[in-house]
Amino acid sequence: MTSAQPRYLRPGRFVRAIRMDAFVAFLVRRGVNVWGSRVLSVRGRKSGEMRTTPVNLLTFDGEQYLVAPRGHTQWVRNLRAAGEGELRLGDKVQRFTAIELPDEAKPALLRAYLKRWAWEVGAFFDGVGPKSTDEELRAAAPNHPIFRLTIEP
């Protein structure tokens, strides 16, 4: 399902009202690991200022990945432009470089991501879940950018 316009799903009214992202970011900045959440910092492609947002860090086959459940968000666009960023959990900051994966490399990663976080992000995947076929996951892949991270020592 490829469209001319990259897909982006805005947070719903309820999520915006309770400011869930802000609450998770508050906890993560204080060192509380909320199901693998980190605060992502990446330089804005227009402003040049550091921008932050909570993300779920996926570890799969010894590698670390960021998956964009809401699609082609601002953090995705900024990370594409910058190619690097930081992940924070409490006082621990990890600098990284990122490479965006092609769609054909995504099915196993999407399955692993949904297996862990479908309860939180499943609504953004249009019925695709951890038990979906590879074909269904491949069809969803263009709507969900994934970056492989190389953490700096």
Side-chain angles (χ1 to χ4, degrees):
M1 167 162 61
T2 307
S3 62
Q5 189 73 359
R7 179 178 166 160
Y8 166 65
L9 296 173
R10 290 179 45 113
R13 177 180 275 166
F14 176 74
V15 172
R16 287 193 315 266
I18 64 170
R19 303 207 12 99
M20 190 57 128
D21 282 354
F23 179 66
V24 170
F26 173 83
L27 292 174
V28 171
R29 282 188 188 104
R30 279 143 188 84
V32 178
N33 187 345
V34 183
W35 283 87
S37 292
R38 302 291 187 274
V39 173
L40 168 67
S41 297
V42 65
R43 192 161 305 283
R45 64 195 182 285
K46 295 178 183 177
S47 70
E49 297 176 16
M50 292 302 279
R51 303 294 184 184
T52 62
T53 191
V55 293
N56 293 324
L57 180 63
L58 174 66
T59 301
F60 183 81
D61 286 345
E63 301 277 346
Q64 294 185 310
Y65 300 89
L66 292 179
V67 177
R70 294 181 188 270
H72 299 264
T73 62
Q74 295 300 321
W75 75 257
V76 167
R77 294 171 185 162
N78 289 338
L79 188 52
R80 282 178 181 145
E84 63 183 11
E86 296 176 345
L87 293 172
R88 176 180 297 276
L89 176 61
D91 292 336
K92 184 177 179 184
V93 177
Q94 296 177 301
R95 293 195 48 74
F96 67 85
T97 56
I99 297 173
E100 188 168 2
L101 300 181
D103 291 341
E104 60 271 9
K106 295 178 184 178
L109 294 164
L110 289 172
R111 180 174 284 112
Y113 186 83
L114 287 164
K115 187 175 182 181
R116 174 133 188 190
W117 288 291
W119 60 272
E120 178 186 354
V121 301
F124 308 122
F125 285 84
D126 295 330
V128 174
K131 294 181 180 178
S132 294
T133 66
D134 284 350
E135 183 177 304
E136 291 167 325
L137 291 164
R138 268 192 294 280
N143 293 326
H144 304 285
I146 299 178
F147 296 87
R148 182 176 45 243
L149 307 183
T150 301
I151 305 295
E152 295 179 4

